[in-house]
Amino acid sequence: MIRIQARTEPSSVMKFASPLIAILLTLIFGSVLFSAIGKDPLQALHVLLIAPLSDSYNIGEMFVKMGPLLLCAVGLAICYRANMWNIGAEGQLLAGALGGSAMALYLIDSDSIFALPLTLIAGIVSGMLWSAIPTFLKLRFNSNLILTTIMFNYIALYLLIWAVHGPLRDPQGFGFPESAMFADATLLPTLFEFSRIHLGIVFAVIAGIIGWFILSKTHLGFQIRVLGADEPAARYAGFNSKKLSWFVMLFAGALAGLAGVGETTGPIGQLVPNVSPGYGYSAIIVAYLGRLHPIGAILAAIFMAILYMGGDLAQIELGIPVAVVSMFQGVLLFFLLACDFFINNRLIFSQQATN
Amino acid sequence: MDADLLTQILFAAIKTGTPLLFIALGEVICEKSGILNLGQEGMMLMGAVVGFIAAYSTGSMGLGVLGAVIMGAFMSLIFAVLVLQLGANQVATGLALTIFGTGLSAFIGSSVVGQTLPGFAPIALPVLSNIPFIGDIFFKHDILVYLSFVMTFVLYIVVNKTRLGLTLKAVGENPNAANAIGIKVLQVRYLAIMFGGAMAGISGAYMSLVYTPMWVENMTAGRGWIALALVVFASWRIGRIMLGAYLFGLASIMHLVLQGFGWSISPNLLAMLPYVATVIVMVIISADQFKEKLLAPRSLGKPFDPRNMA
C-alpha cells in the first residue's frame, strides 16, 4: 500500500527537483508520442534538444528566441509573486512591437544616435500602456485581471494586423501586409558576426538580474512577496497594495514591450503580422519552470528557447508541425504542477507507515 | 435597415452565439461546483479537431459530435486529476490545459487541414418555424442549435429546481459544510468538471462541423476565453448565459449590421469588437463589487482537500 502524507515542512529539495523531474517526464512523454506516430524517438529528441545546440548559428538563434521569452517571464514572475494573474504578456509584447514600429517608421530617414533609444522607449511605453489598462480596470472596477489581459492580447493582435494592412503598410511593399524595412539607425546592433544575436539578449539578462535584485534585495520586493503570500498581513503592515500592483504590472508591461520592440528592431527589422510565435504565453511556463524567480527564469528561458529552436528544426527535418512545441509546453506544465504536489506531500509505503 | 435584414442578422447572431452558449453552460456548471477551469479554449480546440476528424473519417456527423464530447471530457479529466487529486493551482492548471490543447489540436489536425465537410443541414421545425419573425430567427437552424435550446432549458431546471442542483450549489458555496452533511464533494466536482469538458467539446464540434465547417489551427479564436467572461456577465445564471451568448454572437457579426447601415470599417478593426465588448461588459458587471460577491460561488477557485477534514 502506498499512502500520501502531508509533509510538516515543504520540501526544499523537491522545490528544485520538481522542474527537473517534470522535464524528464516530458521527454519520456515525447518519446512515446514520437514512437506512436512512427518516428524514431531518439532521433526526434536529438533534433528537439541537441541539434539546437550543435552549431554556432543554431546557438545564436537559440539566444535570439531566449531574449523575448526571458523579458516576458521576468515580468510575469514578479506579477505572480504579487498574486497579479497577468496573462497579457503576449498582448504587451505585440503592443511594444506596434508602438516601437510606429516610432521606427517615423524615424525612417533619421541617422541620429537618438533614433534607436527613442524607438525602444516607444516600445516600452506601449507595453506599459497595454498592461496599464487592465490594471486600471482591475483596481478601479474590480474586473477579472486574467480575462481582461487575455482580451487585450486579442485586441493587440487585431490592432497590429490592422496596422500592417493599413497605416503602417509599406507603400512599396507590393500590397504585402508588412511595414517598410527600418532604417539602420533604429536597428538593434548584433553582437557577433556569425549570428543574429542582438543587444536584446543583453537587455533580457539585465532585466533578470534587476528583477532578482528588486525582489530579493529591496524593501519593495519584500512588500511584493508579502502581498502575494499573505494579503491580510500586507494590509496589516500598511503596504500600499494598489501601488505595488501598479508597479508589478507596469514593470511586466515595460519588459514585454521591450521584448516586442526588440523583435522588430532586432531579428525581423520591420513590422510583420507574426511578430511572436506565442512568446508571451510560453513565458508563463518559463516563469513557472523558473520557480517564479528571475534567476530561475534565465535557466528556464534557455530550456524553452532550445525547445522552440528544436521545434523549428523538427519541422524542417522530421516534418513535425511546429505546434508540438506548445503541446510539449502544456505537458511540461502539467508534469510540473503534478510534481509540485510532492513539495508539500510525500508518499509513504505501508511498511514504513507501521513503523 | 429593413425587416428582412434584421431577421438575417438575428438569425446569424444565434448561430454565432451557439458555440459560446454550449461552452459557457458547461463552464457555469463547473464554476457552480467551485472550480474555475481556464482550460476552456484548449478543450474547445480539441473538441473541434477531434470532432472534425471523427466526422471526416467515419462520414457521420453524429459520431463527430460524440468524439468531440468524449475528447472534451477526457481533457477535463486531466485537469480534474491535477486540481482535485493533487491540489494543483486551478489557474495554472487551466492555462496548461489551454496551451496543451492548442498545441495538440494543431498537431493532430495537420492531416486534415484544407478538408471540408457538408455540415449539418438546417431543419425548419414544423409549426414553430411558421411563427412570423420569431420562426425565421429561432426555428430554422441545425440540430445542434436546437440541442443548445434543450440543454439550456434542462440545466435551468436541474440547477434551480432539483436536489442535484442544490447539491452542486452546496459544494460550490461551502464544500466543508457539504462534506459534513455527507455529500461527496470531490465526486460532485469531478462530474461538474467533466460535464464542462463535454460541453466545451460540443462547442468545438459546432465550430468545425457547422459554423465553418472545416479545421483551421486555432479556429476558436478566443471563444473559450470569451465564454469565461460570459459566465461573469451572466452572474452565474443559466438564462442570462443564453442572452449573453447571443449578444456576443451579435457583436461578432457586427460587420453585417454595419453594412446594413451602409458603413464600412476595416474588417480587422471589427474583429476586435467581441473582445472589446467583453472587456466593457466585464467592467460594467464587476464594478458592482457587492453584487458580484453575492452571486459568485463562494468557494470558486479555492482548493478543497478532504484529507484536511477530520
Side-chain angles (χ1 to χ4, degrees):
Chain A
M1 250 308 268
I2 302 171
R3 281 201 315 131
I4 292 159
Q5 190 187 53
R7 291 183 200 267
T8 42
E9 287 280 310
S11 158
S12 51
V13 175
M14 263 317 286
K15 207 176 162 209
F16 293 102
S18 175
L20 298 175
I21 299 171
I23 288 174
L24 194 69
L25 289 172
T26 305
L27 296 183
I28 294 170
F29 168 87
S31 312
V32 173
L33 179 87
F34 286 127
S35 309
I37 60 168
K39 311 268 180 201
D40 177 3
L42 285 180
Q43 189 203 358
L45 290 182
H46 182 267
V47 170
L48 269 177
L49 296 171
I50 313 292
L53 302 173
S54 61
D55 65 48
S56 59
Y57 175 80
N58 284 345
I59 293 174
E61 286 298 291
M62 191 273 286
F63 279 112
V64 168
K65 292 180 190 332
M66 180 189 159
L69 283 169
L70 180 55
L71 280 167
C72 293
V74 170
L76 292 182
I78 291 180
C79 283
Y80 298 164
R81 278 295 184 93
N83 252 340
M84 289 293 277
W85 291 98
N86 173 13
I87 316 294
E90 181 77 2
Q92 291 146 25
L93 183 151
L94 295 175
L98 181 57
S101 299
M103 181 62 85
L105 292 168
Y106 177 74
L107 298 171
I108 199 148
D109 296 321
S110 167
D111 53 7
S112 157
I113 54 160
F114 295 110
L116 180 62
L118 276 174
T119 303
L120 294 178
I121 288 168
I124 290 169
V125 170
S126 306
M128 287 171 87
L129 177 72
W130 218 247
S131 66
I133 305 169
T135 311
F136 173 74
L137 297 179
K138 177 181 167 58
L139 296 179
R140 177 70 180 76
F141 298 106
N142 185 39
S143 64
N144 184 315
L145 188 69
I146 298 171
L147 294 178
T148 44
T149 48
I150 286 168
M151 292 303 137
F152 273 86
N153 289 345
Y154 285 96
I155 296 170
L157 178 64
Y158 286 109
L159 202 61
L160 188 146
I161 292 174
W162 166 76
V164 291
H165 277 94
L168 299 186
R169 181 160 70 184
D170 183 5
Q172 271 102 50
F174 305 102
F176 283 111
E178 53 189 38
S179 78
M181 295 300 292
F182 298 162
D184 286 346
T186 52
L187 290 182
L188 282 172
T190 52
L191 300 181
F192 306 103
E193 282 288 310
F194 62 86
S195 86
R196 301 195 298 167
I197 302 178
H198 57 87
L199 211 50
I201 187 68
V202 179
F203 295 152
V205 173
I206 292 173
I209 294 166
I210 291 176
W212 164 79
F213 184 79
I214 291 175
L215 206 53
S216 308
K217 302 284 166 195
T218 66
H219 185 54
L220 180 66
F222 173 71
Q223 291 181 322
I224 290 170
R225 283 181 287 141
V226 174
L227 180 68
D230 190 351
E231 210 202 326
R235 225 177 308 137
Y236 185 72
F239 298 164
N240 186 338
S241 76
K242 275 200 173 185
K243 214 172 84 183
L244 292 172
S245 301
W246 271 114
F247 173 78
V248 295
M249 287 298 289
L250 291 180
F251 186 68
L255 293 187
L258 179 58
V261 68
E263 287 303 284
T264 52
T265 58
I268 306 176
Q270 66 184 139
L271 186 64
V272 293
N274 49 344
V275 173
S276 160
Y279 286 138
Y281 294 109
S282 308
I284 298 168
I285 296 173
V286 172
Y288 263 95
L289 198 60
R291 311 274 73 176
L292 304 185
H293 190 290
I295 302 299
I298 295 181
L299 298 173
I302 291 176
F303 176 77
M304 199 63 81
I306 291 174
L307 196 58
Y308 259 110
M309 215 25 232
D312 284 356
L313 295 174
Q315 186 179 34
I316 299 164
E317 293 183 20
L318 304 172
I320 291 169
V322 174
V324 286
V325 174
S326 62
M327 188 180 70
F328 276 124
Q329 290 175 357
V331 173
L332 179 60
L333 190 48
F334 281 140
F335 281 129
L336 185 65
L337 292 164
C339 292
D340 281 357
F341 176 74
F342 297 102
I343 294 175
N344 291 308
N345 297 276
R346 67 168 132 220
L347 292 178
I348 48 170
F349 301 94
S350 52
Q351 279 166 330
Q352 282 173 291
T354 51
N355 284 344
Chain B
M1 191 156 67
D2 57 36
D4 214 33
L5 184 66
L6 185 63
T7 314
Q8 275 177 33
I9 287 170
L10 294 179
F11 178 87
I14 288 190
K15 207 173 145 92
T16 313
T18 296
L20 287 172
L21 177 56
F22 274 123
I23 192 168
L25 284 175
E27 175 69 15
V28 81
I29 297 298
C30 186
E31 289 193 17
K32 281 213 179 268
S33 82
I35 301 289
L36 180 70
N37 186 351
L38 297 182
Q40 300 296 332
E41 181 81 2
M43 297 192 294
M44 192 178 173
L45 278 165
M46 284 302 289
V49 74
V50 169
F52 187 87
I53 291 175
Y56 182 75
S57 51
T58 62
S60 156
M61 301 290 280
L63 285 177
V65 175
L66 185 67
V69 167
I70 294 170
M71 193 65 224
F74 175 74
M75 291 284 286
S76 69
L77 187 59
I78 303 175
F79 173 86
V81 169
L82 279 165
V83 164
L84 299 180
Q85 229 69 51
L86 301 182
N89 178 303
Q90 293 178 23
V91 171
T93 313
L95 287 171
L97 190 61
T98 284
I99 294 171
F100 174 66
T102 308
L104 184 60
S105 63
F107 181 63
I108 64 178
S110 57
S111 57
V112 288
V113 168
Q115 307 295 342
T116 54
L117 280 174
F120 280 109
I123 306 163
L125 292 185
V127 187
L128 289 172
S129 62
N130 293 333
I131 306 170
F133 197 54
I134 303 285
D136 287 333
I137 296 167
F138 287 98
F139 300 115
K140 291 185 175 171
H141 285 280
D142 56 87
I143 188 157
L144 286 182
V145 172
Y146 301 135
L147 178 66
S148 73
F149 295 167
V150 173
M151 292 294 300
T152 309
F153 179 73
V154 169
L155 288 178
Y156 179 83
I157 300 292
V158 168
V159 168
N160 295 307
K161 311 279 177 199
T162 68
R163 197 184 166 81
L164 184 61
L166 212 57
T167 307
L168 179 72
K169 284 184 282 190
V171 167
E173 287 295 322
N174 192 338
N176 295 337
N179 185 63
I181 59 166
I183 296 173
K184 294 196 169 67
V185 172
L186 288 190
Q187 205 173 315
V188 172
R189 288 189 165 176
Y190 261 109
L191 290 175
I193 291 170
M194 288 180 69
F195 178 77
M199 292 294 273
I202 302 190
S203 170
Y206 193 84
M207 292 301 298
S208 67
L209 295 182
V210 185
Y211 196 72
T212 328
M214 56 167 150
W215 164 253
V216 185
E217 233 177 85
N218 267 324
M219 64 184 294
T220 56
R223 283 177 177 79
W225 298 115
I226 291 181
L228 284 154
L230 199 55
V231 174
V232 181
F233 166 76
S235 41
W236 293 268
R237 278 183 290 198
I238 308 278
R240 280 232 227 157
I241 290 208
M242 187 181 224
L243 177 72
Y246 297 151
L247 283 176
F248 279 91
L250 194 62
S252 311
I253 53 154
M254 212 55 195
H255 56 107
L256 278 181
V257 181
L258 293 176
Q259 274 165 17
F261 286 113
W263 292 359
S264 80
I265 298 180
S266 157
N268 292 315
L269 285 181
L270 286 172
M272 263 185 248
L273 256 176
Y275 310 103
V276 175
T278 305
V279 171
I280 293 171
V281 164
M282 269 195 305
V283 166
I284 294 169
I285 303 286
S286 318
D288 193 345
Q289 282 199 33
F290 176 71
K291 210 171 148 194
E292 189 183 296
K293 283 218 176 84
L294 206 68
L295 294 167
R298 214 147 301 163
S299 74
L300 185 60
K302 296 188 188 113
F304 167 75
D305 187 349
R307 278 171 289 133
N308 291 344
M309 305 286 304

